[in-house]
Amino acid sequence: MEHKKAHNFLYKKSLEKNYETLANHIKRIGPLKIKTSKMNFVDHLSKIIVGQQLSVKSAAAIWMRTEKILKEHKYKKINAKLNEKFKKAGLSRQKIEYLNGIIFNAELKKLTKKTLKKISSKEFYELLIKIKGIGPWSIEMSRIFYVGDPDVFSLLDLGLKNAHMKNFDEQTYNESFYQEFSPYRSYLCLYMWRMLEDENVAI
């Protein structure tokens, strides 16, 4: 099983690099699985847009209302009535614009998880970066939690940076430092996020 291989690899690599605190944390937590989204890709991206720059609690509440609208709407193009519903759900004008750009994107609607798993990370990035509202961090999170890519490390993620600074010097927070943990860097992200969760720090 991949998650068990990842656990063993990351634990041994941490010991090899003399990262004792990280190694002990990985050993104590045990194997972690990447839980991928069961949504279709359009809904997954929509949820990312809705949740941007919001607390977890606020994002969940607004997404619940937005998801209900998405399931009910029958519009084939951008529509003022639909926009009004999104506004009442708690979305800003900018987020409504971004959301429309996703839900009415014919190319995105055709994409299945099976198709996305077959394309390279570079192709995946180029596919999404041209979509308004989707930036590098959102793409990296999608690679991990939608595609299930085992080898992504998001330097842009504030939680990962905070976890790094609990164990290492800030100057070492770079791509080359974490390249050592390839091909299981996504799993390493899970362990590092857990460092913060153990102390009830929001990520």
Side-chain angles (χ1 to χ4, degrees):
M1 297 292 280
E2 183 181 69
H3 68 293
K4 290 183 179 179
K5 287 182 180 178
H7 175 261
N8 290 333
F9 174 86
L10 295 172
Y11 174 64
K12 288 177 182 177
K13 178 62 69 174
S14 299
L15 286 178
E16 178 190 310
K17 303 294 290 184
N18 293 317
Y19 302 153
E20 190 176 335
T21 303
L22 180 59
N24 290 338
H25 174 69
I26 291 170
K27 184 179 181 180
R28 181 173 62 84
I29 296 298
L32 291 175
K33 290 183 179 180
I34 296 172
K35 296 177 182 177
T36 55
S37 172
K38 291 181 171 63
M39 296 178 175
N40 63 54
F41 196 45
V42 167
D43 284 352
H44 166 74
L45 293 177
S46 298
K47 188 176 182 181
I48 286 178
I49 290 291
V50 169
Q52 285 171 350
Q53 299 168 330
L54 291 174
S55 69
V56 173
K57 189 176 180 180
S58 296
I62 295 175
W63 172 246
M64 191 180 296
R65 294 192 291 268
T66 304
E67 186 178 28
K68 186 178 179 183
I69 295 166
L70 291 174
K71 286 179 178 177
E72 292 173 351
H73 95 82
K74 302 286 191 292
Y75 304 109
K76 294 182 179 179
K77 59 183 179 179
I78 296 173
N79 183 283
K81 287 183 180 178
L82 180 60
N83 288 348
E84 187 59 30
K85 288 181 181 180
F86 287 146
K87 185 178 178 181
K88 286 180 180 178
L91 294 175
S92 67
R93 187 172 63 180
Q94 187 179 55
K95 284 190 178 181
I96 291 170
E97 181 189 346
Y98 293 162
L99 193 58
N100 280 326
I102 289 169
I103 64 176
F104 294 111
N105 186 314
E107 186 181 0
L108 286 179
K109 286 180 180 180
K110 295 175 186 175
L111 293 170
T112 63
K113 185 172 286 195
K114 188 176 180 181
T115 303
L116 292 168
K117 281 179 176 288
K118 291 178 180 177
I119 66 176
S120 69
S121 57
K122 184 182 179 182
E123 289 172 312
F124 187 84
Y125 181 89
E126 289 173 351
L127 173 73
L128 294 186
I129 199 64
K130 61 189 177 184
I131 298 170
K132 265 190 170 184
I134 299 293
W137 179 84
S138 298
I139 294 170
E140 288 163 346
M141 293 303 106
S142 292
R143 283 296 299 178
I144 297 172
F145 296 112
Y146 194 82
V147 178
D149 187 334
D151 197 30
V152 176
F153 192 89
S154 178
L155 287 172
L156 296 170
D157 188 85
L158 185 59
L160 294 177
K161 185 175 182 179
N162 288 339
H164 178 91
M165 289 169 64
K166 285 168 67 69
N167 298 281
F168 309 107
D169 192 293
E170 186 177 2
Q171 292 179 336
T172 62
Y173 189 65
N174 54 51
E175 189 71 35
S176 60
F177 184 93
Y178 285 101
Q179 187 61 42
E180 296 277 357
F181 295 95
S182 183
Y184 295 117
R185 288 175 294 177
S186 297
Y187 288 94
L188 182 61
C189 290
L190 300 183
Y191 286 107
M192 292 182 73
W193 282 321
R194 281 289 290 268
M195 283 182 181
L196 304 180
E197 287 177 358
D198 287 347
E199 296 186 7
N200 297 312
V201 178
I203 59 170

PDB file of all heavy atoms in Angstrom, residues 75-100:
ATOM      1  N   TYR A  75     -29.341  26.862 -15.760  1.00  0.00           N
ATOM      2  CA  TYR A  75     -28.890  27.856 -16.730  1.00  0.00           C
ATOM      3  C   TYR A  75     -27.745  27.332 -17.597  1.00  0.00           C
ATOM      4  O   TYR A  75     -26.909  26.573 -17.130  1.00  0.00           O
ATOM      5  CB  TYR A  75     -28.451  29.136 -16.004  1.00  0.00           C
ATOM      6  CG  TYR A  75     -29.530  29.715 -15.122  1.00  0.00           C
ATOM      7  CD1 TYR A  75     -29.427  29.657 -13.731  1.00  0.00           C
ATOM      8  CD2 TYR A  75     -30.663  30.305 -15.679  1.00  0.00           C
ATOM      9  CE1 TYR A  75     -30.417  30.174 -12.914  1.00  0.00           C
ATOM     10  CE2 TYR A  75     -31.656  30.831 -14.869  1.00  0.00           C
ATOM     11  CZ  TYR A  75     -31.530  30.764 -13.490  1.00  0.00           C
ATOM     12  OH  TYR A  75     -32.525  31.268 -12.694  1.00  0.00           O
ATOM     13  N   LYS A  76     -27.719  27.781 -18.838  1.00  0.00           N
ATOM     14  CA  LYS A  76     -26.672  27.354 -19.773  1.00  0.00           C
ATOM     15  C   LYS A  76     -25.611  28.437 -19.976  1.00  0.00           C
ATOM     16  O   LYS A  76     -24.617  28.215 -20.645  1.00  0.00           O
ATOM     17  CB  LYS A  76     -27.295  26.966 -21.123  1.00  0.00           C
ATOM     18  CG  LYS A  76     -28.193  25.730 -21.031  1.00  0.00           C
ATOM     19  CD  LYS A  76     -28.744  25.357 -22.386  1.00  0.00           C
ATOM     20  CE  LYS A  76     -29.628  24.108 -22.274  1.00  0.00           C
ATOM     21  NZ  LYS A  76     -30.201  23.724 -23.589  1.00  0.00           N
ATOM     22  N   LYS A  77     -25.867  29.598 -19.435  1.00  0.00           N
ATOM     23  CA  LYS A  77     -24.888  30.687 -19.548  1.00  0.00           C
ATOM     24  C   LYS A  77     -25.036  31.613 -18.339  1.00  0.00           C
ATOM     25  O   LYS A  77     -25.980  31.487 -17.554  1.00  0.00           O
ATOM     26  CB  LYS A  77     -25.093  31.468 -20.845  1.00  0.00           C
ATOM     27  CG  LYS A  77     -26.462  32.094 -21.000  1.00  0.00           C
ATOM     28  CD  LYS A  77     -26.582  32.776 -22.359  1.00  0.00           C
ATOM     29  CE  LYS A  77     -27.966  33.401 -22.532  1.00  0.00           C
ATOM     30  NZ  LYS A  77     -28.099  34.080 -23.837  1.00  0.00           N
ATOM     31  N   ILE A  78     -24.099  32.542 -18.199  1.00  0.00           N
ATOM     32  CA  ILE A  78     -24.121  33.487 -17.084  1.00  0.00           C
ATOM     33  C   ILE A  78     -25.468  34.203 -17.046  1.00  0.00           C
ATOM     34  O   ILE A  78     -25.956  34.687 -18.058  1.00  0.00           O
ATOM     35  CB  ILE A  78     -22.964  34.496 -17.213  1.00  0.00           C
ATOM     36  CG1 ILE A  78     -21.622  33.749 -17.099  1.00  0.00           C
ATOM     37  CG2 ILE A  78     -23.062  35.573 -16.141  1.00  0.00           C
ATOM     38  CD1 ILE A  78     -20.417  34.590 -17.384  1.00  0.00           C
ATOM     39  N   ASN A  79     -26.058  34.219 -15.861  1.00  0.00           N
ATOM     40  CA  ASN A  79     -27.426  34.705 -15.734  1.00  0.00           C
ATOM     41  C   ASN A  79     -27.571  35.565 -14.477  1.00  0.00           C
ATOM     42  O   ASN A  79     -27.096  35.200 -13.404  1.00  0.00           O
ATOM     43  CB  ASN A  79     -28.368  33.488 -15.661  1.00  0.00           C
ATOM     44  CG  ASN A  79     -29.812  33.855 -15.604  1.00  0.00           C
ATOM     45  OD1 ASN A  79     -30.305  34.261 -14.560  1.00  0.00           O
ATOM     46  ND2 ASN A  79     -30.508  33.703 -16.718  1.00  0.00           N
ATOM     47  N   ALA A  80     -28.246  36.699 -14.599  1.00  0.00           N
ATOM     48  CA  ALA A  80     -28.399  37.641 -13.490  1.00  0.00           C
ATOM     49  C   ALA A  80     -29.126  37.005 -12.298  1.00  0.00           C
ATOM     50  O   ALA A  80     -28.783  37.268 -11.142  1.00  0.00           O
ATOM     51  CB  ALA A  80     -29.163  38.877 -13.963  1.00  0.00           C
ATOM     52  N   LYS A  81     -30.124  36.171 -12.570  1.00  0.00           N
ATOM     53  CA  LYS A  81     -30.888  35.532 -11.490  1.00  0.00           C
ATOM     54  C   LYS A  81     -29.988  34.575 -10.701  1.00  0.00           C
ATOM     55  O   LYS A  81     -30.057  34.505  -9.476  1.00  0.00           O
ATOM     56  CB  LYS A  81     -32.085  34.769 -12.061  1.00  0.00           C
ATOM     57  CG  LYS A  81     -33.198  35.664 -12.557  1.00  0.00           C
ATOM     58  CD  LYS A  81     -34.373  34.830 -13.047  1.00  0.00           C
ATOM     59  CE  LYS A  81     -35.511  35.726 -13.559  1.00  0.00           C
ATOM     60  NZ  LYS A  81     -36.639  34.908 -14.073  1.00  0.00           N
ATOM     61  N   LEU A  82     -29.151  33.847 -11.439  1.00  0.00           N
ATOM     62  CA  LEU A  82     -28.221  32.912 -10.798  1.00  0.00           C
ATOM     63  C   LEU A  82     -27.201  33.693  -9.957  1.00  0.00           C
ATOM     64  O   LEU A  82     -26.903  33.325  -8.817  1.00  0.00           O
ATOM     65  CB  LEU A  82     -27.498  32.075 -11.853  1.00  0.00           C
ATOM     66  CG  LEU A  82     -26.485  31.039 -11.344  1.00  0.00           C
ATOM     67  CD1 LEU A  82     -27.155  30.027 -10.431  1.00  0.00           C
ATOM     68  CD2 LEU A  82     -25.802  30.343 -12.511  1.00  0.00           C
ATOM     69  N   ASN A  83     -26.711  34.786 -10.512  1.00  0.00           N
ATOM     70  CA  ASN A  83     -25.750  35.620  -9.781  1.00  0.00           C
ATOM     71  C   ASN A  83     -26.340  36.166  -8.484  1.00  0.00           C
ATOM     72  O   ASN A  83     -25.661  36.261  -7.461  1.00  0.00           O
ATOM     73  CB  ASN A  83     -25.274  36.787 -10.656  1.00  0.00           C
ATOM     74  CG  ASN A  83     -24.335  36.341 -11.765  1.00  0.00           C
ATOM     75  OD1 ASN A  83     -23.866  35.202 -11.749  1.00  0.00           O
ATOM     76  ND2 ASN A  83     -24.067  37.216 -12.708  1.00  0.00           N
ATOM     77  N   GLU A  84     -27.612  36.500  -8.537  1.00  0.00           N
ATOM     78  CA  GLU A  84     -28.296  37.011  -7.340  1.00  0.00           C
ATOM     79  C   GLU A  84     -28.378  35.928  -6.260  1.00  0.00           C
ATOM     80  O   GLU A  84     -28.223  36.209  -5.062  1.00  0.00           O
ATOM     81  CB  GLU A  84     -29.703  37.503  -7.708  1.00  0.00           C
ATOM     82  CG  GLU A  84     -30.439  38.201  -6.575  1.00  0.00           C
ATOM     83  CD  GLU A  84     -29.714  39.437  -6.039  1.00  0.00           C
ATOM     84  OE1 GLU A  84     -28.991  40.106  -6.808  1.00  0.00           O
ATOM     85  OE2 GLU A  84     -29.861  39.713  -4.827  1.00  0.00           O
ATOM     86  N   LYS A  85     -28.592  34.688  -6.701  1.00  0.00           N
ATOM     87  CA  LYS A  85     -28.635  33.566  -5.750  1.00  0.00           C
ATOM     88  C   LYS A  85     -27.264  33.375  -5.098  1.00  0.00           C
ATOM     89  O   LYS A  85     -27.171  33.130  -3.899  1.00  0.00           O
ATOM     90  CB  LYS A  85     -29.063  32.279  -6.474  1.00  0.00           C
ATOM     91  CG  LYS A  85     -30.524  32.262  -6.876  1.00  0.00           C
ATOM     92  CD  LYS A  85     -30.868  30.949  -7.566  1.00  0.00           C
ATOM     93  CE  LYS A  85     -32.326  30.917  -8.004  1.00  0.00           C
ATOM     94  NZ  LYS A  85     -32.666  29.641  -8.685  1.00  0.00           N
ATOM     95  N   PHE A  86     -26.219  33.466  -5.910  1.00  0.00           N
ATOM     96  CA  PHE A  86     -24.855  33.332  -5.379  1.00  0.00           C
ATOM     97  C   PHE A  86     -24.559  34.442  -4.369  1.00  0.00           C
ATOM     98  O   PHE A  86     -23.937  34.209  -3.337  1.00  0.00           O
ATOM     99  CB  PHE A  86     -23.821  33.383  -6.511  1.00  0.00           C
ATOM    100  CG  PHE A  86     -23.767  32.150  -7.367  1.00  0.00           C
ATOM    101  CD1 PHE A  86     -23.476  32.235  -8.728  1.00  0.00           C
ATOM    102  CD2 PHE A  86     -23.968  30.887  -6.822  1.00  0.00           C
ATOM    103  CE1 PHE A  86     -23.401  31.098  -9.517  1.00  0.00           C
ATOM    104  CE2 PHE A  86     -23.896  29.739  -7.608  1.00  0.00           C
ATOM    105  CZ  PHE A  86     -23.620  29.849  -8.969  1.00  0.00           C
ATOM    106  N   LYS A  87     -25.035  35.642  -4.685  1.00  0.00           N
ATOM    107  CA  LYS A  87     -24.808  36.778  -3.790  1.00  0.00           C
ATOM    108  C   LYS A  87     -25.495  36.539  -2.442  1.00  0.00           C
ATOM    109  O   LYS A  87     -24.910  36.789  -1.375  1.00  0.00           O
ATOM    110  CB  LYS A  87     -25.350  38.059  -4.442  1.00  0.00           C
ATOM    111  CG  LYS A  87     -25.062  39.321  -3.646  1.00  0.00           C
ATOM    112  CD  LYS A  87     -25.594  40.558  -4.377  1.00  0.00           C
ATOM    113  CE  LYS A  87     -25.352  41.824  -3.565  1.00  0.00           C
ATOM    114  NZ  LYS A  87     -25.893  43.031  -4.248  1.00  0.00           N
ATOM    115  N   LYS A  88     -26.716  36.043  -2.484  1.00  0.00           N
ATOM    116  CA  LYS A  88     -27.467  35.767  -1.254  1.00  0.00           C
ATOM    117  C   LYS A  88     -26.824  34.625  -0.453  1.00  0.00           C
ATOM    118  O   LYS A  88     -26.977  34.550   0.773  1.00  0.00           O
ATOM    119  CB  LYS A  88     -28.919  35.415  -1.584  1.00  0.00           C
ATOM    120  CG  LYS A  88     -29.741  36.624  -2.008  1.00  0.00           C
ATOM    121  CD  LYS A  88     -31.173  36.231  -2.337  1.00  0.00           C
ATOM    122  CE  LYS A  88     -31.992  37.462  -2.756  1.00  0.00           C
ATOM    123  NZ  LYS A  88     -33.373  37.088  -3.134  1.00  0.00           N
ATOM    124  N   ALA A  89     -26.094  33.754  -1.166  1.00  0.00           N
ATOM    125  CA  ALA A  89     -25.401  32.641  -0.494  1.00  0.00           C
ATOM    126  C   ALA A  89     -24.169  33.126   0.262  1.00  0.00           C
ATOM    127  O   ALA A  89     -23.613  32.408   1.095  1.00  0.00           O
ATOM    128  CB  ALA A  89     -25.001  31.582  -1.513  1.00  0.00           C
ATOM    129  N   GLY A  90     -23.753  34.369  -0.036  1.00  0.00           N
ATOM    130  CA  GLY A  90     -22.621  34.947   0.679  1.00  0.00           C
ATOM    131  C   GLY A  90     -21.375  35.164  -0.147  1.00  0.00           C
ATOM    132  O   GLY A  90     -20.306  35.466   0.398  1.00  0.00           O
ATOM    133  N   LEU A  91     -21.492  35.031  -1.478  1.00  0.00           N
ATOM    134  CA  LEU A  91     -20.327  35.194  -2.351  1.00  0.00           C
ATOM    135  C   LEU A  91     -20.141  36.653  -2.774  1.00  0.00           C
ATOM    136  O   LEU A  91     -21.115  37.349  -3.053  1.00  0.00           O
ATOM    137  CB  LEU A  91     -20.468  34.322  -3.601  1.00  0.00           C
ATOM    138  CG  LEU A  91     -20.453  32.803  -3.359  1.00  0.00           C
ATOM    139  CD1 LEU A  91     -20.719  32.074  -4.668  1.00  0.00           C
ATOM    140  CD2 LEU A  91     -19.125  32.361  -2.788  1.00  0.00           C
ATOM    141  N   SER A  92     -18.893  37.072  -2.835  1.00  0.00           N
ATOM    142  CA  SER A  92     -18.573  38.428  -3.300  1.00  0.00           C
ATOM    143  C   SER A  92     -18.739  38.501  -4.809  1.00  0.00           C
ATOM    144  O   SER A  92     -18.818  37.468  -5.495  1.00  0.00           O
ATOM    145  CB  SER A  92     -17.130  38.784  -2.934  1.00  0.00           C
ATOM    146  OG  SER A  92     -16.227  37.962  -3.664  1.00  0.00           O
ATOM    147  N   ARG A  93     -18.764  39.711  -5.343  1.00  0.00           N
ATOM    148  CA  ARG A  93     -18.896  39.889  -6.792  1.00  0.00           C
ATOM    149  C   ARG A  93     -17.742  39.218  -7.543  1.00  0.00           C
ATOM    150  O   ARG A  93     -17.950  38.593  -8.581  1.00  0.00           O
ATOM    151  CB  ARG A  93     -18.935  41.385  -7.124  1.00  0.00           C
ATOM    152  CG  ARG A  93     -19.246  41.680  -8.596  1.00  0.00           C
ATOM    153  CD  ARG A  93     -19.476  43.151  -8.830  1.00  0.00           C
ATOM    154  NE  ARG A  93     -18.291  43.946  -8.545  1.00  0.00           N
ATOM    155  CZ  ARG A  93     -18.213  45.263  -8.669  1.00  0.00           C
ATOM    156  NH1 ARG A  93     -19.290  45.944  -9.035  1.00  0.00           N
ATOM    157  NH2 ARG A  93     -17.105  45.908  -8.404  1.00  0.00           N
ATOM    158  N   GLN A  94     -16.541  39.344  -6.986  1.00  0.00           N
ATOM    159  CA  GLN A  94     -15.375  38.743  -7.631  1.00  0.00           C
ATOM    160  C   GLN A  94     -15.462  37.220  -7.644  1.00  0.00           C
ATOM    161  O   GLN A  94     -15.184  36.573  -8.661  1.00  0.00           O
ATOM    162  CB  GLN A  94     -14.090  39.170  -6.912  1.00  0.00           C
ATOM    163  CG  GLN A  94     -12.819  38.714  -7.621  1.00  0.00           C
ATOM    164  CD  GLN A  94     -11.572  39.172  -6.899  1.00  0.00           C
ATOM    165  OE1 GLN A  94     -11.398  38.912  -5.713  1.00  0.00           O
ATOM    166  NE2 GLN A  94     -10.702  39.876  -7.602  1.00  0.00           N
ATOM    167  N   LYS A  95     -15.892  36.644  -6.527  1.00  0.00           N
ATOM    168  CA  LYS A  95     -16.011  35.185  -6.474  1.00  0.00           C
ATOM    169  C   LYS A  95     -17.118  34.669  -7.394  1.00  0.00           C
ATOM    170  O   LYS A  95     -17.013  33.582  -7.957  1.00  0.00           O
ATOM    171  CB  LYS A  95     -16.236  34.714  -5.034  1.00  0.00           C
ATOM    172  CG  LYS A  95     -14.971  34.759  -4.206  1.00  0.00           C
ATOM    173  CD  LYS A  95     -15.149  34.070  -2.878  1.00  0.00           C
ATOM    174  CE  LYS A  95     -13.847  34.088  -2.090  1.00  0.00           C
ATOM    175  NZ  LYS A  95     -13.960  33.406  -0.790  1.00  0.00           N
ATOM    176  N   ILE A  96     -18.166  35.445  -7.540  1.00  0.00           N
ATOM    177  CA  ILE A  96     -19.243  35.070  -8.468  1.00  0.00           C
ATOM    178  C   ILE A  96     -18.702  35.040  -9.897  1.00  0.00           C
ATOM    179  O   ILE A  96     -18.999  34.128 -10.672  1.00  0.00           O
ATOM    180  CB  ILE A  96     -20.436  36.046  -8.355  1.00  0.00           C
ATOM    181  CG1 ILE A  96     -21.131  35.868  -6.993  1.00  0.00           C
ATOM    182  CG2 ILE A  96     -21.431  35.826  -9.492  1.00  0.00           C
ATOM    183  CD1 ILE A  96     -22.167  36.932  -6.672  1.00  0.00           C
ATOM    184  N   GLU A  97     -17.873  36.028 -10.226  1.00  0.00           N
ATOM    185  CA  GLU A  97     -17.247  36.072 -11.558  1.00  0.00           C
ATOM    186  C   GLU A  97     -16.375  34.842 -11.774  1.00  0.00           C
ATOM    187  O   GLU A  97     -16.436  34.194 -12.816  1.00  0.00           O
ATOM    188  CB  GLU A  97     -16.400  37.339 -11.688  1.00  0.00           C
ATOM    189  CG  GLU A  97     -15.722  37.472 -13.051  1.00  0.00           C
ATOM    190  CD  GLU A  97     -14.705  38.603 -13.104  1.00  0.00           C
ATOM    191  OE1 GLU A  97     -14.704  39.456 -12.188  1.00  0.00           O
ATOM    192  OE2 GLU A  97     -13.895  38.619 -14.058  1.00  0.00           O
ATOM    193  N   TYR A  98     -15.565  34.503 -10.779  1.00  0.00           N
ATOM    194  CA  TYR A  98     -14.690  33.331 -10.874  1.00  0.00           C
ATOM    195  C   TYR A  98     -15.509  32.044 -11.005  1.00  0.00           C
ATOM    196  O   TYR A  98     -15.186  31.162 -11.798  1.00  0.00           O
ATOM    197  CB  TYR A  98     -13.795  33.222  -9.635  1.00  0.00           C
ATOM    198  CG  TYR A  98     -12.762  34.308  -9.481  1.00  0.00           C
ATOM    199  CD1 TYR A  98     -12.152  34.528  -8.239  1.00  0.00           C
ATOM    200  CD2 TYR A  98     -12.375  35.117 -10.546  1.00  0.00           C
ATOM    201  CE1 TYR A  98     -11.187  35.529  -8.077  1.00  0.00           C
ATOM    202  CE2 TYR A  98     -11.423  36.104 -10.394  1.00  0.00           C
ATOM    203  CZ  TYR A  98     -10.828  36.311  -9.152  1.00  0.00           C
ATOM    204  OH  TYR A  98      -9.887  37.287  -9.002  1.00  0.00           O
ATOM    205  N   LEU A  99     -16.564  31.957 -10.203  1.00  0.00           N
ATOM    206  CA  LEU A  99     -17.410  30.761 -10.197  1.00  0.00           C
ATOM    207  C   LEU A  99     -18.082  30.559 -11.552  1.00  0.00           C
ATOM    208  O   LEU A  99     -18.116  29.443 -12.085  1.00  0.00           O
ATOM    209  CB  LEU A  99     -18.456  30.891  -9.089  1.00  0.00           C
ATOM    210  CG  LEU A  99     -19.235  29.627  -8.705  1.00  0.00           C
ATOM    211  CD1 LEU A  99     -18.284  28.531  -8.253  1.00  0.00           C
ATOM    212  CD2 LEU A  99     -20.227  29.944  -7.599  1.00  0.00           C
ATOM    213  N   ASN A 100     -18.585  31.643 -12.125  1.00  0.00           N
ATOM    214  CA  ASN A 100     -19.189  31.554 -13.456  1.00  0.00           C
ATOM    215  C   ASN A 100     -18.188  31.066 -14.493  1.00  0.00           C
ATOM    216  O   ASN A 100     -18.529  30.300 -15.402  1.00  0.00           O
ATOM    217  CB  ASN A 100     -19.739  32.925 -13.877  1.00  0.00           C
ATOM    218  CG  ASN A 100     -21.095  33.214 -13.257  1.00  0.00           C
ATOM    219  OD1 ASN A 100     -21.899  32.312 -13.062  1.00  0.00           O
ATOM    220  ND2 ASN A 100     -21.348  34.476 -12.937  1.00  0.00           N
TER     221      ASN A 100
END
